[in-house]
Amino acid sequence: LAKTTQPISMDSYEGQEVNITCSHNNIATNDYITWYQQFPSQGPRFIIQGYKTKVTNEVASLFIPADRKSSTLSLPRVSLSDTAVYYCLVARNAGNNRKLIWGLGTSLAVNP
Amino acid sequence: KAGVTQTPRYLIKTRGQQVTLSCSPISGHRSVSWYQQTPGQGLQFLFEYFSETQRNKGNFPGRFSGRQFSNSRSEMNVSTLELGDSALYLCASSLVGDNSPLHFGNGTRLTVT
């Protein structure tokens, strides 16, 4: 099953674009990639999900290259409130036996 | 629509005791999963329930158990508590469908002394 690896921490400034990359070298054909955001003392919150190429919603974009061995979460024009931990998740669905592999999270600090 | 509700929010127990945590999923969500979160260890999967049946289990000792009721509410129990069980326990619910996003509660912070 795919192991997910992401940077432990990142620093940025308000107004910048932030890109967080997750490596999942052993990703399988049916695996989906999802990103979550977590603030202190709260549960993770869904940001975006994708299978291949590019997905965009109102808060982020997700870029997945053709080989799908990595994915990049892109946060446009971050603000102080985007300071949080971001988790990459690879999910394999095999009937009733769903496997979830979480990264250890990237702690993003947005500075004024 | 109300989110995932976990009770209690905080809990302090002593070694050897047992504890029961509760999770009420979002209305209409039939899948409930539990996670343990500790600093440096990220999210560790405990188990997942669907229609009152455990359909997946993580690598935790038998002291950790759970169940799901007919209304999809779920409980997890930890017996013979150890200091290392101190953690944030998170519950997540999702719709039927394996790629459905997880919706998390804010967790129960368990401290074992």
Side-chain angles (χ1 to χ4, degrees):
Chain A
L1 189 62
K3 173 183 176 182
T4 58
T5 305
Q6 52 184 127
I8 294 174
S9 63
M10 294 183 69
D11 277 283
S12 185
Y13 292 92
E14 284 190 288
Q16 288 190 330
E17 176 184 78
V18 171
N19 295 309
I20 306 175
T21 297
C22 179
S23 298
H24 26 78
N25 291 324
N26 296 323
I27 194 167
T29 303
N30 295 329
D31 293 350
Y32 268 77
I33 301 155
T34 313
W35 285 81
Y36 290 81
Q37 175 193 55
Q38 186 178 26
F39 297 111
S41 300
Q42 293 185 23
R45 184 179 66 142
F46 170 83
I47 301 175
I48 197 166
Q49 181 182 67
Y51 180 76
K52 62 180 179 180
T53 63
K54 178 183 175 182
V55 179
T56 298
N57 61 22
E58 62 277 8
V59 298
S61 294
L62 179 60
F63 298 92
I64 305 170
D67 65 6
R68 304 202 326 125
K69 293 186 177 182
S70 67
S71 60
T72 299
L73 172 71
S74 181
L75 305 172
R77 297 179 300 281
V78 294
S79 63
L80 297 176
S81 62
D82 293 316
T83 294
V85 178
Y86 293 83
Y87 289 95
C88 167
L89 167 67
V90 173
R92 174 168 299 172
N93 304 300
N96 290 327
N97 195 24
R98 178 165 61 173
K99 297 289 188 184
L100 303 177
I101 300 297
W102 292 86
L104 292 181
T106 298
S107 179
L108 172 65
V110 179
N111 302 292
Chain B
K1 189 182 258 191
V4 177
T5 304
Q6 290 188 246
T7 56
R9 197 73 172 86
Y10 301 94
L11 206 49
I12 300 175
K13 292 285 188 178
T14 57
R15 280 178 296 176
Q17 287 187 313
Q18 75 164 14
V19 66
T20 298
L21 312 181
S22 180
C23 172
S24 293
I26 291 173
S27 178
H29 287 193
R30 291 166 60 191
S31 174
V32 174
S33 53
W34 289 88
Y35 301 83
Q36 181 193 66
Q37 187 175 40
T38 54
Q41 295 293 318
L43 286 151
Q44 302 293 314
F45 172 74
L46 282 156
F47 25 67
E48 180 182 16
Y49 286 87
F50 175 71
S51 292
E52 302 178 65
T53 301
Q54 185 182 88
R55 75 169 185 172
N56 212 347
K57 190 177 189 302
N59 296 322
F60 277 81
R63 299 185 297 107
F64 292 81
S65 62
R67 58 178 176 169
Q68 186 181 33
F69 302 94
S70 58
N71 61 358
S72 294
R73 192 177 69 84
S74 178
E75 289 181 347
M76 68 163 282
N77 183 278
V78 187
S79 62
T80 320
L81 284 166
E82 301 176 359
L83 295 179
D85 296 333
S86 294
L88 179 67
Y89 290 88
L90 292 161
C91 165
S93 72
S94 65
L95 291 167
V96 175
D98 291 329
N99 296 324
S100 298
L102 301 171
H103 296 263
F104 286 84
N106 286 329
T108 294
R109 172 74 63 187
L110 172 64
T111 302
V112 182
T113 62

